[in-house]
Amino acid sequence: MTSTSSASTTAPITAAASGRWTLGDLPVNRVGFGTMRLPQTGGALVPDAVPRDRQAALAVLRRAVDLGVNHIDTAAFYFSPLRSANELINSALAPYADDLVITTKVGPARDLTGEWAAHARTPEALRGQVEENLRQLGRDHLDVVNLRIVGTDSIAERFGALAELRQAGLIRHLGLSNVTPAHLAEAQAIAPVVCVQNRYGIGMRSSEDDAFVRDCGEQGIAFVPFYAIAAAGGEGGATGAEPAEILTVAQAHGVSPAEVRLAWTLHRGPHVLAIPGTGDLGHLAANVAAGALRLSEDELELLETLHRSAAATG
Ligand SMILES: NC(=O)c1ccc[n+]([C@@H]2O[C@H](COP(=O)([O-])OP(=O)(O)OC[C@H]3O[C@@H](n4cnc5c(N)ncnc54)[C@H](OP(=O)(O)O)[C@@H]3O)[C@@H](O)[C@H]2O)c1
C-alpha cells in the first residue's frame, strides 16, 4: 500500500519564509542562527563546560544552511575546553557561500582556561580580536563586527578603532551590542551602524528597549535580540516554566513556546532579526519554521500584556 500524503514528504519551512533584511549591503533571511550553544552542551561561557559532540555540532550548522539560514552570529570567545564556535563554522561551512553573512563580536575576552578576562579597550587589543576572528573563520574580512560593551562609558575610542579597521578593509559593516540609544548616537557620528544586538524578548527589557527597537527601525538599523528563547535563563539556556499566555498561543498554533517567543520578536518590526541558538536538529527546524508563524492581533495583544508584566521573566 502506498501513501499519497505524509509529513515525511512535506518540504520543510525554510528561513526565506521569515522575510529578508539588508545588513548594510548584505541581504539576509530574518531567521538566522546563533552559535553560542554549539561548543558545549548545557550552560555556555563557563570554564568547565561539557564539549558537544563535534559531528553533531557540524551537522547543526550544515542543516541550518540547508534550511536557508544565511546569517550566523558568532564570537571568538564562544568556546568550551575542546570546541570553538568559529572553528566549527569554518569546518562545517568553508568555502563559504557568497550569500552567507557571518556576524561576530569583539570586546569581551576569556583567557585560555575559559575564565573571563578584561575587555579589549585599546585599538591594539580590538585589532587583535578582529584578527583572531579572521584566523579562526579563515577569512580575509569580516562581514559584520559588533562592538560588545558593558557599562555606560563612552564608546568613541573603541568604535573609532573599529571604524579604522573597516576603512582598512578588514571589516565590511559595524554593529553594537548591549548598548543604549546614547551609545548608538555616539557611534553613528563616527561610522554607520547596521545592527544593534541587545538582550530582548517577551517580558525582557520592556521599559529599556521597546522604544529603542522602534528607533532602530526608523533609522534603518537591524535590531537583533539575544536570549529571545532562553529569556531569564540566559547563559544557562531555556529552563524556566512558560507563562500561561505563551502556552495558550503555542497550543492554538500547534507549536512550541520557543516558536511563539521567536515569532513575537519578528512581529516587532521588519528590521528585527532572530539568531536562536541550539544544538538540536529538531529545535533548529522549529526555530526556522517560527519565521512563518503569523500571530493574530488578539494573540499579539495577549503577549503584549505579558511582555509588560514582570511575571513574564520568571
Ligand atoms: N551580544 C551578546 O551579548 C550575546 C549574548 C548571548 C548570546 N548572543 C547570541 O545570541 C544567540 C542566541 O542566544 P542563545 O543561544 O543563548 O539563546 P536563545 O536562542 O534565546 O535560546 C537558546 C536556549 O533555548 C533552547 N532552545 C533553542 N531552540 C529551542 C526550541 N525550538 N525549543 C526548545 N528549546 C529551544 C536551547 O537549548 P537546545 O540546545 O536544547 O535547543 C538553549 O537552551 C547566541 O547563540 C549568540 O550567538 C549574543
Side-chain angles (χ1 to χ4, degrees):
M1 198 168 96
T2 55
S3 164
T4 51
S5 78
S6 86
S8 63
T9 58
T10 307
I13 295 170
T14 71
S18 61
R20 308 258 284 179
W21 180 260
T22 304
L23 284 167
D25 63 347
L26 304 172
V28 293
N29 291 322
R30 291 179 65 211
V31 172
F33 182 78
T35 58
M36 190 183 79
R37 302 283 161 191
L38 282 187
Q40 69 291 306
T41 58
L45 307 179
V46 289
D48 59 352
V50 180
R52 189 179 294 281
D53 176 80
R54 181 176 163 74
Q55 293 308 320
L58 294 174
V60 169
L61 281 164
R62 291 181 180 131
R63 184 64 182 147
V65 168
D66 285 349
L67 288 172
V69 167
N70 56 11
H71 175 215
I72 293 184
D73 182 78
T74 188
F77 57 88
Y78 289 169
F79 64 85
S80 69
L82 299 182
R83 308 273 175 264
S84 136
N86 280 348
E87 183 277 324
L88 291 167
I89 292 171
N90 188 338
S91 296
L93 303 178
Y96 301 109
D98 289 344
D99 72 342
L100 181 67
V101 175
I102 301 176
T103 297
T104 191
K105 56 191 79 67
V106 294
R110 296 170 69 200
D111 69 20
L112 294 178
T113 71
E115 293 287 357
W116 288 108
H119 271 230
R121 295 189 69 92
T122 64
E124 295 74 23
L126 288 163
R127 184 180 182 110
Q129 290 191 339
V130 165
E131 289 172 349
E132 180 182 31
N133 277 279
L134 289 167
R135 283 193 300 276
Q136 293 174 348
L137 290 167
R139 306 199 78 172
D140 55 14
H141 76 274
L142 300 171
D143 298 323
V144 183
V145 174
N146 286 324
L147 175 64
R148 205 295 188 186
I149 65 156
V150 288
T152 54
D153 293 0
S154 165
I155 58 170
E157 188 190 353
R158 284 170 283 170
F159 195 75
L162 294 181
E164 283 184 16
L165 297 179
R166 176 172 170 266
Q167 289 292 341
L170 296 186
I171 299 171
R172 188 106 157 235
H173 297 294
L174 295 171
L176 296 171
S177 179
N178 203 37
V179 293
T180 63
H183 287 130
L184 175 59
E186 192 181 23
Q188 288 275 65
I190 297 168
V193 174
V194 300
C195 55
V196 167
Q197 190 177 114
N198 274 11
R199 183 172 187 157
Y200 186 68
I202 296 177
M204 279 192 300
R205 297 184 56 84
S206 161
S207 57
E208 292 98 330
D209 273 0
D210 281 348
F212 196 15
V213 172
R214 278 195 300 276
D215 289 351
C216 284
E218 283 162 13
Q219 294 180 57
I221 296 170
F223 190 93
V224 189
F226 64 85
Y227 295 154
I229 299 173
E235 285 87 347
T239 49
E242 290 289 4
E245 293 88 338
I246 294 182
L247 294 173
T248 300
V249 176
Q251 198 173 18
H253 290 273
V255 300
S256 64
E259 286 170 82
V260 173
R261 285 186 175 276
L262 282 179
W264 179 87
T265 62
L266 294 170
H267 279 71
R268 303 305 277 183
H271 66 297
V272 178
L273 310 181
I275 48 166
T278 184
D280 180 291
L281 287 168
H283 289 172
L284 170 68
N287 296 344
V288 169
L293 189 57
R294 302 289 176 261
L295 303 177
S296 70
E297 287 303 318
D298 286 353
E299 289 168 339
L300 287 171
E301 206 171 301
L302 181 69
L303 296 174
E304 186 66 26
T305 307
L306 174 66
H307 176 55
R308 290 175 186 281
S309 76
T313 58

